[in-house]
């Protein structure tokens, strides 16, 4: 009877200490003590990865979890959950949405084209009016959040702007008397009437037409938006967003033709760069979404 009891106790102790197999196990029964040496567990690099939960006393194979997570990420990125069409201040374009969960969606999109009219088509820099022509290209990556799991959204991301902006100056008055007011002086398009030119003020004649190419210095432009995305049916929805992107300061390349055009270029360049046209680009967009 004593032998059976001792054997049962020893088996139970050995089973509960399998994870610590390198340590000896001592079983005491009354005055007798028996020492058992546990068989060490060999480690093989080729075996699956295991994790030990000390609280629950459970050893789990984690290889499947890692592979499963990688597979989930791969499936998310290769199976978009939605496609959207949009129009707004970034231009006209489309985007793909990749659902992470019911509150989070990754977005990859592009918007561009001629959006000058969306900003009024012109702007003023120190009393000189400029007509604007644009050719926008704004690919972007972002995250769209539904913090309350309803139609309200918050977005953040990065735009990679490649926008061509051309500004053409409009002279005041007409003909040879037309001029550009630049830093207190007047830069005349042609040859003005006698007595109109004030050398002391810095007036310059025969400047000709003035055109400038504007380029924003940020190669990556962060943006933030808030908006709404109600669903109309199970598959179709609409959305609107408001926000801003920081494109940075501008660099102006000025070309003033005419006999004395080069004399005007540096000052016009300075005034255009001081204006920092669309340094903070407003984001206003409307669109529609189809969910798969």
């Amino acid at each position: 009877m004593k032998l059976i009891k001792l054997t049962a106790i020893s088996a139970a102790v050995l089973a509960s200490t399998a994870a610590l197999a390198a340590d000896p196990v001592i079983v005491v029964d009354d005055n007798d003590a028996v020492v058992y040496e546990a068989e060490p567990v060999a480690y093989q690099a080729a075996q699956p990865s295991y994790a030990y939960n000390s609280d629950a006393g459970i050893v789990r194979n984690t290889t499947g979890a890692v592979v499963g997570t990688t597979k989930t990420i791969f499936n998310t990125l290769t199976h978009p959950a939605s496609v959207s069409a949009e129009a707004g201040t970034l231009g006209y374009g489309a985007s793909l949405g990749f659902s992470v969960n019911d509150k989070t969606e990754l977005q990859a999109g592009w918007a561009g084209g001629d959006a000058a009219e969306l900003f009024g088509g012109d702007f003023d820099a120190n009393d000189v009016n400029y007509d604007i022509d644009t050719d926008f290209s704004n690919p972007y990556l972002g995250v769209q959040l539904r913090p309350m799991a309803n139609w309200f959204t918050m977005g953040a991301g990065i735009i990679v702007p490649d926008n061509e902006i051309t500004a053409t100056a409009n002279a005041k008055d007409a003909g040879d008397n037309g001029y550009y007011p630049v830093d207190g002086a007047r830069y005349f398009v042609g040859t003005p009437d006698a007595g109109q030119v004030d050398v002391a003020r810095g007036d310059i004649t025969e400047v000709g037409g003035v055109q400038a190419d504007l380029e924003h210095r940020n190669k990556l432009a962060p943006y933030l938006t808030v908006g709404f995305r109600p669903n109309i049916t199970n598959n179709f929805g609409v959305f609107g967003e408001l926000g801003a992107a920081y494109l940075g300061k501008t660099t102006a390349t000025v070309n003033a033709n005419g006999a004395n055009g080069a004399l005007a270029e540096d000052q016009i360049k300075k005034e255009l760069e001081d204006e920092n046209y669309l340094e903070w680009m407003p984001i206003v967009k409307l669109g529609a979404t189809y969910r798969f």
Side-chain angles (χ1 to χ4, degrees):
M1 188 66 180
K2 183 177 181 179
L3 178 61
I4 294 173
K5 182 179 179 182
L6 180 60
T7 302
I9 294 173
S10 300
V13 171
L14 285 175
S16 65
T17 57
L20 304 174
D23 298 329
V25 178
I26 302 174
V27 178
V28 180
D29 180 63
D30 296 332
N31 295 321
D32 297 323
V34 181
V35 178
Y36 295 90
E37 289 292 333
E39 186 71 18
V41 179
Y43 171 78
Q44 297 182 15
Q47 295 298 316
S49 173
Y50 290 89
Y52 176 69
N53 186 330
S54 59
D55 294 329
I58 301 172
V59 179
R60 292 190 177 92
N61 183 345
T62 62
T63 304
V66 173
V67 172
T69 300
T70 304
K71 191 173 182 181
T72 299
I73 295 173
F74 177 79
N75 287 338
T76 297
L77 296 179
T78 55
H79 294 82
S82 64
V83 59
S84 300
E86 65 182 60
T89 52
L90 294 177
Y92 310 91
S95 65
L96 294 175
F98 304 86
S99 289
V100 177
N101 53 48
D102 61 342
K103 293 184 178 181
T104 308
E105 184 175 85
L106 304 179
Q107 288 185 328
W110 177 91
D114 185 0
E117 293 302 321
L118 296 173
F119 300 102
D122 67 343
F123 74 97
D124 292 336
N126 195 30
D127 293 331
V128 178
N129 180 258
Y130 293 86
D131 288 331
I132 294 296
D133 290 315
T134 61
D135 185 7
F136 281 1
S137 178
N138 290 301
Y140 61 87
L141 293 172
V143 178
Q144 193 75 229
L145 302 176
R146 295 177 182 262
M148 293 177 286
N150 59 11
W151 56 265
F152 174 73
T153 63
M154 299 176 63
I158 292 291
I159 299 171
V160 187
D162 184 16
N163 299 324
E164 296 180 7
I165 304 172
T166 302
T168 303
N170 295 311
K172 291 181 178 292
D173 297 333
D176 290 342
N177 293 324
Y179 65 92
Y180 311 107
V182 178
D183 194 28
R186 293 187 296 180
Y187 293 180
F188 288 89
V189 173
T191 304
D193 296 336
Q196 281 191 296
V197 178
D198 186 343
V199 177
R201 185 172 53 192
D203 291 352
I204 299 174
T205 62
E206 300 180 60
V207 171
V210 175
Q211 192 171 80
D213 293 325
L214 306 179
E215 182 181 1
H216 290 96
R217 298 173 191 175
N218 281 9
K219 302 307 178 185
L220 295 176
Y223 73 84
L224 291 172
T225 62
V226 294
F228 63 95
R229 287 179 175 261
N231 293 325
I232 305 303
T233 68
N234 287 337
N235 298 107
F236 286 98
V238 295
F239 67 88
E241 292 181 30
L242 296 173
Y246 183 65
L247 299 182
K249 298 183 180 299
T250 55
T251 297
T253 302
V254 180
N255 179 28
N257 56 29
N260 295 316
L263 299 175
E265 287 178 1
D266 287 344
Q267 188 60 40
I268 293 174
K269 170 183 171 69
K270 180 179 182 301
E271 292 189 354
L272 283 171
E273 291 182 352
D274 286 345
E275 183 67 23
N276 283 322
Y277 179 67
L278 295 182
E279 178 181 3
W280 285 93
M281 175 179 279
I283 295 177
V284 180
K285 66 170 70 173
L286 296 172
T289 297
Y290 178 81
R291 296 193 176 278
F292 302 110

